[in-house]
Amino acid sequence: MPSATQRRSFDIPSDLLRDMRGWRMRSLVVGAVALILGIAGGLFNADQFYRSYIWCYMFFIGVPLGATALLMLQYLTGGAWGVVIRRPCEAASRTLPLLLILFIPIVIGIPHLYQWSHADIVANDSLLQHKHIYLNVPFFLIRAGMYFVGWLLIAHLLYRWSGEQDRGDTRAGGRLTAISGPGLIFFGFSVTFMAIDWILSINPHWFSTIFGLLFIAGEALSALACLICLLVLLSHRPPLSDVLTHRHLHDVGKLLLAFVMVWAYFSFSQLLVIWSGNLPEEIPWYLNRFAGGWQYIGVALVLLHFALPFALLLSRDLKRDFKLLSRVAMLVIAMRFVDLYWQVAPDFHKAQFTVSWMDFVLPVGLGGIWLWAFLWQLELRPLLPLGDPHLEEALEHGRE
């Protein structure tokens, strides 16, 4: 256990706490105003509101889910790399109750988003009749409830036992490791089915056996990029300025490179299998995205979501440079939004590339409200896990 002096040194200083509360209130105001504007737009164009809402919601639920998965991965593997991101990951996971509330507009918008929710369409489509046993509103809501119950329970236990570990409970570490294995299994299955339910079923005639894995990689990538930006933002302020070093940054930078490659591998594998198969049930999904201006978004994803970050992150010096690594992480975040938009929007606008003003307002709205909740949770505990057995290793790792 750290000494009382060391324990106090990891607390958030009063000046940083004051700044974080200022950031929190500004985020809430900006987010609320943007969300109100988006809702006002939805009163005149409900279809576009729900279409814009679904893809940006998927980004913001991906951050806490990806952060929770990173927490469990660190508990299973150990090592110093996860200690410096432990508290931000816990704070992100604690925003899942907010995401549950923000899921309500998607429930309301089911008729605007999903063809399979309309009885007249299902009656005239033999494939949808075959899938109706799975794709129906009651079962859709039951599955969503199961996902949230599992996610919230895992996040709650991880947060609770981490607090007990800080207070000196020697059994807490074993509990954290014990739940992380089954938790990662549940995460893999639940996120796979979530991606199928909430995104893939927008086009119920299309299917992909790798779509869930692609979504899992994207969520981990979104979470890690956001965490890197936060670490760099706080790196010049105590207590992280006394702890965080280039070696810590190099570790999370290598992990970011790994997830960039995993995302690219799954994306290319999906394209290769579907394109080479050339089946009428699968190929139209890509045909819609290779025409009408959508092809330029696809090229941008290849260049800016994979090629450029991959090339930059190969550099050891860049991964140890706070400013440069944060810029790469911000590029990844921006392209995660673009990737989700490219997955969703062409199913509603097949003829040509289309962007609505709500596609810009709603991400700001959801982002502002989510950031308010995240900063609130981040303030509640010291920025480093005091009882973690790898804490001293992480501190020594940075001094090497």
Side-chain angles (χ1 to χ4, degrees):
M1 288 293 294
S3 66
T5 302
Q6 190 178 25
R7 178 183 294 270
R8 286 194 298 272
S9 71
F10 294 152
D11 289 336
I12 302 176
S14 57
D15 59 334
L16 177 57
L17 190 62
R18 184 173 57 251
D19 289 345
M20 289 173 64
R21 287 172 178 169
W23 301 339
R24 178 155 56 92
M25 292 311 299
R26 285 192 290 271
S27 298
L28 179 60
V29 171
V30 172
V33 170
L35 191 57
I36 290 171
L37 287 174
I39 293 172
L43 297 177
F44 298 95
N45 189 346
D47 285 342
Q48 184 59 56
F49 171 82
Y50 293 114
R51 293 168 183 177
S52 299
Y53 191 94
I54 182 69
W55 70 263
C56 60
Y57 176 86
M58 295 307 294
F59 174 85
F60 289 107
I61 198 171
V63 175
L65 289 178
T68 305
L70 289 173
L71 267 179
M72 293 186 287
L73 182 64
Q74 201 272 333
Y75 286 132
L76 287 175
T77 61
W81 65 269
V83 175
V84 293
I85 64 172
R86 171 82 61 79
R87 286 297 188 246
C89 282
E90 290 177 352
S93 70
R94 296 280 288 177
T95 64
L96 282 170
L98 172 66
L99 273 301
L100 173 59
I101 297 172
L102 294 175
F103 185 69
I104 294 174
I106 295 177
V107 175
I108 298 172
I110 287 176
H112 298 270
L113 294 170
Y114 304 108
Q115 301 176 32
W116 49 260
S117 65
H118 296 270
D120 55 333
I121 295 178
V122 174
N124 295 309
D125 192 315
S126 59
L127 181 60
L128 292 186
Q129 292 173 21
H130 178 70
K131 295 183 176 182
H132 187 63
I133 192 172
Y134 183 85
L135 292 178
N136 60 81
V137 175
F139 196 26
F140 175 90
L141 297 178
I142 290 172
R143 292 194 303 272
M146 293 171 59
Y147 307 152
F148 275 108
V149 168
W151 298 333
L152 290 170
L153 178 61
I154 292 171
H156 170 74
L157 293 177
L158 291 175
Y159 188 79
R160 174 184 172 183
W161 291 339
S162 177
E164 292 176 358
Q165 187 182 57
D166 282 358
R167 292 187 291 271
D169 188 342
T170 56
R171 298 172 299 175
R175 297 192 198 105
L176 290 168
T177 302
I179 195 177
S180 294
L184 278 175
I185 294 173
F186 176 80
F187 169 81
F189 279 102
S190 61
V191 172
T192 296
F193 280 95
M194 176 200 73
I196 293 170
D197 291 351
W198 301 356
I199 297 297
L200 189 145
S201 73
I202 291 175
N203 183 348
H205 296 90
W206 181 70
F207 64 92
S208 167
T209 56
I210 206 172
F211 193 75
L213 292 175
L214 178 59
F215 229 86
I216 290 172
E219 288 189 345
L221 193 55
S222 299
L224 191 59
C226 290
L227 292 171
I228 288 173
C229 291
L230 177 71
L231 287 180
V232 172
L233 178 65
L234 299 179
S235 63
H236 65 286
R237 307 282 292 271
L240 288 187
S241 61
D242 302 324
V243 175
L244 196 64
T245 70
H246 299 287
R247 287 181 62 89
H248 295 124
L249 206 65
H250 187 224
D251 288 344
V252 293
K254 288 187 289 187
L255 197 58
L256 183 67
L257 172 62
F259 281 120
V260 166
M261 292 190 293
V262 169
W263 175 87
Y265 172 76
F266 288 149
S267 298
F268 178 72
S269 297
Q270 178 177 269
L271 171 61
L272 180 64
V273 171
I274 290 177
W275 198 260
S276 60
N278 198 28
L279 297 176
E281 299 88 358
E282 299 177 349
I283 200 68
W285 194 86
Y286 277 107
L287 294 179
N288 291 335
R289 287 158 177 79
F290 289 168
W294 294 109
Q295 68 270 29
Y296 302 117
I297 305 299
V299 172
L301 286 170
V302 173
L303 296 178
L304 301 179
H305 199 319
F306 168 65
L308 182 59
F310 173 76
L312 294 174
L313 290 170
L314 288 176
S315 168
R316 179 177 183 271
D317 292 337
L318 184 143
K319 291 193 291 286
R320 298 169 69 91
D321 188 297
F322 285 73
K323 183 179 295 185
L324 293 179
L325 183 60
S326 67
R327 289 177 178 174
V328 174
M330 286 188 284
L331 173 64
V332 169
I333 292 171
M335 296 313 297
R336 290 299 307 134
F337 278 106
V338 174
D339 180 43
L340 289 167
Y341 184 76
W342 190 74
Q343 290 184 36
V344 173
D347 287 324
F348 299 113
H349 305 286
K350 296 181 175 64
Q352 61 181 2
F353 171 69
T354 302
V355 178
S356 167
W357 63 273
M358 281 187 269
D359 292 322
F360 297 95
V361 169
L362 286 175
V364 174
L366 292 180
I369 293 174
W370 182 86
L371 186 59
W372 163 77
F374 170 75
L375 292 173
W376 173 36
Q377 293 297 324
L378 191 63
E379 296 172 7
L380 300 181
R381 287 183 174 177
L383 287 178
L384 288 173
L386 306 173
D388 190 286
H390 298 285
L391 178 59
E392 190 60 36
E393 176 189 351
L395 298 177
E396 293 297 327
H397 177 73
R399 299 187 189 109
E400 294 175 1

